[in-house]
Amino acid sequence: MRKIENFAQISDLLNAQLKKGVITNNFLRGDDYTREIANGLYIHEADGALLLFRERGDHLVMTFYLHPNAVLSLPETDRPVVTELSCRAKDAEAMANAAEQFCALGFREVLRRTRRTRKPEAFPVETTAVPAKPDDFEDISRFLSEHFSALTGCLPTADDLRENLANGQTVITRDEKGVSGVLHFAVSRASTEIRHLAVRADCRGKGLAGELLTAYLAATDGAKSQVWARTGNAPAEHFYEQHGYRPDGWTSAVLQYN
């Protein structure tokens, strides 16, 4: 496994993967690579495969490129490795075959997710939730860590969260005990995406999730919205269905090694 110090080290290698028939779950772009190289980015070349590993402290996040008839191998590591294989329905068989190859190396499936999309639509703006501020960093970082898995919860890095807060892309609710709910989101040219939505256990059933969603949709002017929700999580699926989110044909499987 080789550490990457700058993008020039891998640009030609990445371009060589852009061929018909290559299966990938890597959606990183230019700025993403700059950030990931600063955090710690490693590569491993196998026979017909390129694996990228992103540093996340106590574990690594893996993305890959698999050419037809690739012979997979893994580098030695003493930390857990997590990878998510997302695809549209038309690519499901190819991605399932890739998952099977990784499972043969010792990965196991730990959960599945379904992507849901809400069409652009105006939304009422009255809500008790408010935009989080940069000074809320410690509280929100702790809240996310308490409510989402460090391995499979796709938690933002400290730098990502600070940037997110500076851009006004987190809304929160508070009570006398502190933060009672958080909705953390991202914005792209085509849509917005809910990255994390959680309400403190003792505050559930009081409508706070709806308050957070309202504040988020108001902040994004009711733009097209997407969310990856755990498949089989009935309360979450019901909540999103109730608020106009429908499965859009994308699904994913999360695999873990070690």
Side-chain angles (χ1 to χ4, degrees), residues 52-63:
L52 290 80
F53 297 87
R54 291 178 279 161
E55 182 75 52
R56 288 297 183 270
D58 60 352
H59 70 284
L60 299 169
V61 174
M62 183 186 77
T63 55

Side-chain angles (χ1 to χ4, degrees), residues 82-83 108-112 152 230 253-257:
V82 176
T83 188
R108 68 185 189 281
E109 183 179 307
V110 291
L111 62 92
R112 286 183 173 268
T152 61
R230 184 167 183 163
V254 179
L255 310 181
Q256 183 178 323
Y257 179 84

Side-chain angles (χ1 to χ4, degrees), residues 5-26:
E5 303 293 345
N6 57 71
F7 184 70
Q9 288 181 283
I10 56 169
S11 59
D12 289 343
L13 190 56
L14 292 172
N15 288 335
Q17 311 307 315
L18 304 178
K19 297 179 180 179
K20 186 176 181 180
V22 175
I23 303 299
T24 184
N25 67 340
N26 186 26

Side-chain angles (χ1 to χ4, degrees), residues 65-256:
Y65 293 90
L66 299 183
H67 292 248
N69 303 313
V71 179
L72 280 174
S73 64
L74 291 175
E76 291 187 9
T77 176
D78 58 357
R79 288 180 287 176
V81 179
V82 176
T83 188
E84 184 162 10
L85 289 69
S86 56
C87 65
R88 295 167 292 183
K90 72 181 185 67
D91 300 317
E93 183 178 354
M95 201 60 85
N97 289 337
E100 188 174 316
Q101 292 181 66
F102 283 114
C103 287
L105 293 177
F107 280 85
R108 68 185 189 281
E109 183 179 307
V110 291
L111 62 92
R112 286 183 173 268
R113 293 193 243 260
T114 299
R115 195 177 77 175
R116 293 172 173 267
T117 295
R118 179 184 184 275
K119 296 179 180 179
E121 185 181 354
F123 206 79
V125 295
E126 291 187 14
T127 175
T128 58
V130 298
K133 300 176 181 178
D135 288 348
D136 294 317
F137 171 81
E138 295 293 344
D139 287 344
I140 293 173
S141 180
R142 182 167 52 252
F143 187 93
L144 292 176
S145 296
E146 290 172 351
H147 289 81
F148 295 91
S149 165
L151 291 178
T152 61
C154 303
L155 293 174
T157 64
D159 287 345
D160 287 344
L161 182 57
R162 291 186 192 281
E163 181 179 350
N164 180 276
L165 291 172
N167 291 334
Q169 294 173 358
T170 298
V171 293
I172 61 173
T173 54
R174 284 185 175 275
D175 62 12
E176 66 281 357
K177 295 181 181 179
V179 175
S180 54
V182 168
L183 191 156
H184 160 243
F185 64 95
V187 177
S188 68
R189 272 183 273 177
S191 65
T192 65
E193 181 181 315
I194 298 173
R195 293 287 175 84
H196 300 91
L197 170 57
V199 172
R200 207 174 64 220
D202 62 319
C203 295
R204 290 169 191 163
K206 300 178 181 180
L208 289 190
E211 295 286 337
L212 291 162
L213 186 69
T214 297
Y216 151 66
L217 292 172
T220 57
D221 295 322
K224 178 182 177 182
S225 172
Q226 297 175 327
V227 62
W228 285 91
R230 184 167 183 163
T231 307
N233 181 344
E237 291 177 329
H238 176 70
F239 173 79
Y240 288 119
E241 191 76 20
Q242 199 175 32
H243 289 89
Y245 288 82
R246 304 287 183 264
D248 61 12
W250 280 79
T251 59
S252 76
V254 179
L255 310 181
Q256 183 178 323

